[in-house]
Amino acid sequence: MLKARIRNVLGVEAAEFALEGSSRIAGRNGEGKSSLLQAIGAVAAGEPAIRGITVKGQRGLVVRNGADMATALLDWGTGTQRMIWPAGTFENTGAPFPGGAFGSPLA
């Protein structure tokens, strides 16, 4: 089972959920569905770019208003990958994701 933990990314203050088999993320417009998926994609790829923000000086735009930093974490039990904004820091600990190419849990 893959667990995701998102904090202060764009409009999302906090979200924690498990992704197993087919998972559904549902909600009304503007509630952060795309923000969650983009944060998961960024940490899975090890790249801090979200919503076209690729310039280091603009990474602060990823951080939710009022917060100092944002994080996205993927945890598969024997390892984790985490992205931290605005620094764009990527951390990979423990065992690589089983069967994943290049250490990406979504490969």
Side-chain angles (χ1 to χ4, degrees):
M1 177 185 337
L2 180 65
K3 295 179 185 176
R5 199 170 30 228
I6 314 298
R7 300 282 185 267
N8 298 317
V9 174
L10 301 168
V12 177
E13 182 175 356
E16 189 167 334
F17 51 93
L19 299 166
E20 188 172 20
S22 292
S23 298
R24 179 183 4 196
I25 297 176
R28 292 178 280 199
N29 289 345
E31 290 189 338
K33 301 175 300 294
S34 295
S35 298
L36 289 174
L37 294 173
Q38 289 172 354
I40 290 169
V43 72
E47 294 293 331
I50 289 183
R51 297 214 174 147
I53 298 170
T54 58
V55 178
K56 185 177 181 180
Q58 295 179 340
R59 288 185 189 148
L61 297 173
V62 173
V63 180
R64 188 177 68 82
N65 287 341
D68 293 329
M69 69 178 212
T71 61
L73 174 89
L74 296 178
D75 180 341
W76 52 91
T78 58
T80 64
Q81 288 186 183
R82 181 168 76 147
M83 183 66 65
I84 303 168
W85 293 273
T89 305
F90 177 71
E91 299 171 350
N92 188 334
T93 61
F97 187 74
F102 309 110
S104 172
L106 299 180

